[in-house]
Amino acid sequence: MARRVEFVDTSILCNLLEVPGKCQDRDEVMEQLRRKRAARDCDLLLPVTAVIETGNHIAQLSDGYLRRTSAEKFAEVLRMVVAGRAPWALNEVEWNADHLNALVNGGSSGMSLVEHAVNGVGCGDLNILVERDRYLARTSGVEATVWTLDGGLAAHT
């Protein structure tokens, strides 16, 4: 049986961090995380895209106090990732011409970046799929999906 890996989407990370306005499913996500950790049947990877998008959501909070407390919590989680104490590891991706070309071509989704944009799938969601594709290309014996609450992204995982 192949080892399972799940890429953590921004929708999940925002719920886990309780980013105001982006955490309406927090209880459900926390329970899913507890089950995943207890089952020990998959590894969780944090894509670069989720880090950037989550940071942007936090920076756009209108309340300065909430922006600061959310940013501090986010920074602590990122420190935990670096120290190997988080429930997931960072997906180390090389941002280069190959990556950008894969993004423009839509990775393995069968649709280009333009077609995804026309259908309402954002570049961040598409980049998570490309990160997954590139991970699979450099790793053998692995099945990789995306843990997400986003229906548009889930349709392509």
Side-chain angles (χ1 to χ4, degrees), residues 14-112:
C14 284
N15 273 282
L16 293 172
L17 289 169
E18 292 185 276
V19 175
K22 303 283 183 186
C23 61
Q24 62 275 16
D25 299 303
R26 187 169 195 281
D27 292 342
E28 174 190 341
V29 169
M30 291 299 293
E31 180 55 34
Q32 288 176 2
L33 178 61
R34 279 190 281 279
R35 283 196 310 263
K36 288 175 187 300
R37 291 184 78 189
R40 298 175 192 241
D41 63 350
C42 75
D43 295 325
L44 299 175
L45 289 179
L46 183 62
V48 173
T49 304
V51 173
I52 293 168
E53 287 184 334
T54 300
N56 286 344
H57 288 312
I58 291 169
Q60 293 166 2
L61 292 171
S62 60
D63 181 300
Y65 174 78
L66 292 176
R67 195 168 48 248
R68 173 172 283 286
T69 57
S70 295
E72 288 171 346
K73 188 184 297 185
F74 183 46
E76 182 54 31
V77 166
L78 295 180
R79 286 185 198 101
M80 289 171 60
V81 171
V82 170
R85 295 188 335 260
W88 49 75
L90 181 64
N91 177 48
E92 296 188 12
V93 64
E94 187 174 355
W95 184 257
N96 57 18
D98 289 337
H99 188 98
L100 197 57
N101 193 45
L103 181 64
V104 170
N105 292 328
S108 65
S109 71
M111 293 172 35
S112 71

